[in-house]
Amino acid sequence: MIGKLIDFKINGDNRGSLIAIENNHNVPFDIKRVYYIFDTKKDVRRGFHAHKNLKQLAISVSGSCKFLLDNGKDKEYIELNSPNQGLLLDGLVWREMFDFSEDCVLLVLTNEYYDENDYIRDYSKFLEEINND
Ligand code: T46
């Protein structure tokens, strides 16, 4: 698999559910940044880039969305539709996100601060990077 799915333990009782995420325990990196994507308009596709070094864990804490992942050789489609499942993205992976439900809140944890220089936003440059890797 290009992306790795991680299942989180649900601490549930008669009041409801709670999930805890901890640095280097159930997330395999130190978390430096958290962002979330919400209110995505109908039929919008986002992403269209790869990262040179960033590690990320994406969780659809509400609703659902789909990822297309591409490592330059293979492609895979993953649907995130559960707050107890995270998608780990590590290494050179082209990603696109689509089919966001109206209520989707996509939470993303990362191991680095935001750095536009880490993005590869051109697919042919992405393939060049893969071949130089
Ligand atoms: C990724 C996918 C899953 C910031 O100012 N700080 C941030 O931490 C981020 C992530 C973005 N921004 C700014 C940059 C743009 O002006 O927010 C705007 C939207 O970002 P972008 O077009 O990169 O969003 P997506 O949905 O295409 O991609 C995002 C992440 O950028 C990316 O790292 O892997 O979600």
Side-chain angles (χ1 to χ4, degrees), residues 33 35 37 46-47 49 51 54 56 67 95 97 106 108 114 119 121:
R33 176 168 54 109
Y35 65 91
I37 296 171
R46 305 185 62 121
H49 60 258
H51 281 282
L54 194 67
Q56 302 203 88
F67 274 75
R95 81 272 328 253
M97 300 90 78
L106 183 64
V108 186
Y114 177 69
Y119 284 72
R121 293 191 182 270

